[in-house]
Amino acid sequence: MNSFIYDIPVRVYFGKNQLCHLGEELSKYGKRVLLTYGGGSIKKSGLYHVVTEEIRNAGLELYELSGIAPNPRIDSVRDGAQMCKEHDIDVLLAVGGGSTLDATKWMAAGACVDHDPWDFFSKWAPVEKALPMVTILTLAATGSEMDSGGVISNPETLDKIGRLADPLLPKASFLDPTLTYSVSPYQTACGAADMMSHIMEVYFNIEPDLYMLDCFMEGMMKTVIKYAPIAMQEPDNYEARANLMWTSSWAINGFVNGGKRQAWSCHPMEHELSAIYDITHGLGLAILTPRWMEYCLDETTVPKYVQFGVNVFGIDANQEPMDIAKQSIEKLSYFFFDTLKLNRTFTEIGVKEKDFQVMAKKACADGILPGFKPLAQQDIEKIFAMCL
């Protein structure tokens, strides 16, 4: 196995009534705060009042940027970066789900450079520093509250690109499961699919690594499978919401990566889907993942499917490996499409075959996507076709 470095210095305030620490946390970084959020649901829920009161009680100056959309756009990043410069912002506070958090990370980086923030993606401009950022999570899904990544869309170029950079790590994150009680069953399901994909992109790997990490990932996947349906049926079930929230953070904060070097597969493919069709990220992953698993299954990869099926879904190990592998795909499909009730095909959500070629070409960067099973453009087009 490969050696690795693990360093995630994010302070987490987990549980109920932790926002009493918000003012003191923000005050560590200065006086001027830029509050970012989405379409206004935080005002309907009352969270906005609680947050702004904590900020004002701490004697801080408050500035606001709202309207950050799902699959966040580069325009919001530009607006936020400009506001930071104009008002000499000291710290950013992102309140919302992954879209708001991702956009805010790149605002924080954009505030520290003179070039267009899109250059971080189109030209891979270096991310040398960023303004400090604090987050308040309202949707468990992306894990952006505890990682250094962010995904941004550019509607003009039909690109959706993700990138990691250490300066983007939040300084602190407030994770109160009660703030996710208002999340709809649909968004809860999409968040669960996103979490599963984050884990599976690492778990389905042929590189030898720590047994302990596989066990950890299997436990997280079992947690999502157990608690996502409960949260959908009982939105205010604290145990379910808490387990999902903490799983979303640990699924993608780098811990499970260990020494693995393998690239992800389903995320690059899905980014092209939502870049063109603006679909919910977790939904696209749910449709893609079982088909990707089916396409990658062969005699060389089958042991991982057996491990997955036996340890996560409890499939009888005393069967032929290929039979267990196929059952594991069926079990995952049932979870996504029957238990979570997500759409099962591209046809249902309006994705057209005419776009497969350009999406596949971008997904593999006109070369090879070096994932669990290396995928060329024609392989990705075939996976897309399996999703129709």
Side-chain angles (χ1 to χ4, degrees), residues 200-218:
M200 294 176 69
E201 295 267 32
V202 180
Y203 181 82
F204 279 85
N205 195 308
I206 58 175
E207 289 185 313
D209 206 344
L210 292 169
Y211 168 80
M212 167 264 185
L213 290 176
D214 273 5
C215 292
F216 187 79
M217 286 185 277
E218 289 161 3

Side-chain angles (χ1 to χ4, degrees), residues 61-105:
E61 296 178 34
L62 176 62
Y63 300 85
E64 298 183 28
L65 177 63
S66 62
I68 299 173
N71 294 318
R73 279 47 162 186
I74 189 61
D75 286 348
S76 290
V77 176
R78 289 170 176 147
D79 291 343
Q82 187 60 34
M83 284 190 68
C84 289
K85 293 175 182 178
E86 289 178 357
H87 300 289
D88 198 18
I89 295 297
D90 296 309
V91 57
L92 294 89
L93 174 62
V95 182
S99 295
T100 297
L101 273 57
D102 282 10
T104 305
K105 288 178 178 180

Side-chain angles (χ1 to χ4, degrees), residues 177 180-183 185 230-238 241:
T180 64
Y181 284 177
S182 61
V183 176
I230 295 174
M232 291 171 67
Q233 296 166 11
E234 305 171 29
D236 58 353
N237 186 306
Y238 186 85
R241 293 296 191 182

Side-chain angles (χ1 to χ4, degrees), residues 26-265:
L26 291 170
S27 296
K28 295 177 181 178
Y29 307 104
K31 287 288 186 181
R32 291 171 293 277
V33 181
L34 177 60
L35 170 64
T36 62
Y37 53 98
S41 62
I42 68 167
K43 291 186 175 180
K44 296 177 183 176
S45 70
L47 178 58
Y48 173 85
H49 174 74
V50 173
V51 169
T52 54
E53 187 174 41
E54 288 291 332
I55 291 172
R56 292 192 174 98
N57 287 344
L60 306 176
E61 296 178 34
L62 176 62
Y63 300 85
E64 298 183 28
L65 177 63
S66 62
I68 299 173
N71 294 318
R73 279 47 162 186
I74 189 61
D75 286 348
S76 290
V77 176
R78 289 170 176 147
D79 291 343
Q82 187 60 34
M83 284 190 68
C84 289
K85 293 175 182 178
E86 289 178 357
H87 300 289
D88 198 18
I89 295 297
D90 296 309
V91 57
L92 294 89
L93 174 62
V95 182
S99 295
T100 297
L101 273 57
D102 282 10
T104 305
K105 288 178 178 180
W106 290 107
M107 294 175 199
C112 298
V113 296
D114 295 327
H115 59 71
D116 179 10
W118 186 244
D119 288 354
F120 288 128
F121 304 96
S122 62
K123 300 178 181 178
W124 222 246
V127 185
E128 297 176 344
K129 61 180 179 178
L131 294 179
M133 170 183 160
V134 174
T135 81
I136 300 174
L137 190 65
T138 62
L139 172 62
T142 70
S144 193
E145 66 277 2
M146 206 177 175
D147 74 11
S148 63
V151 183
I152 301 298
S153 296
N154 188 333
E156 295 178 3
T157 62
L158 294 181
D159 284 316
K160 182 178 179 181
I161 302 174
R163 186 175 174 186
L164 299 169
D166 287 344
L168 303 183
L169 274 171
K171 298 298 183 182
S173 288
F174 289 81
L175 308 184
D176 181 349
T178 67
L179 299 181
T180 64
Y181 284 177
S182 61
V183 176
S184 70
Y186 169 72
Q187 288 295 344
T188 300
C190 289
D194 197 4
M195 291 178 223
M196 287 291 290
S197 183
H198 290 160
I199 302 164
M200 294 176 69
E201 295 267 32
V202 180
Y203 181 82
F204 279 85
N205 195 308
I206 58 175
E207 289 185 313
D209 206 344
L210 292 169
Y211 168 80
M212 167 264 185
L213 290 176
D214 273 5
C215 292
F216 187 79
M217 286 185 277
E218 289 161 3
M220 286 197 294
M221 287 187 281
K222 291 170 71 173
T223 297
V224 175
I225 292 166
K226 175 178 179 177
Y227 284 109
I230 295 174
M232 291 171 67
Q233 296 166 11
E234 305 171 29
D236 58 353
N237 186 306
Y238 186 85
E239 181 183 359
R241 293 296 191 182
N243 275 278
L244 291 174
M245 180 171 270
W246 201 219
T247 299
S248 81
S249 298
W250 281 90
I252 195 173
N253 68 6
F255 176 75
V256 299
N257 291 17
K260 299 179 182 69
R261 301 289 184 266
Q262 174 185 289
W264 288 15
S265 298

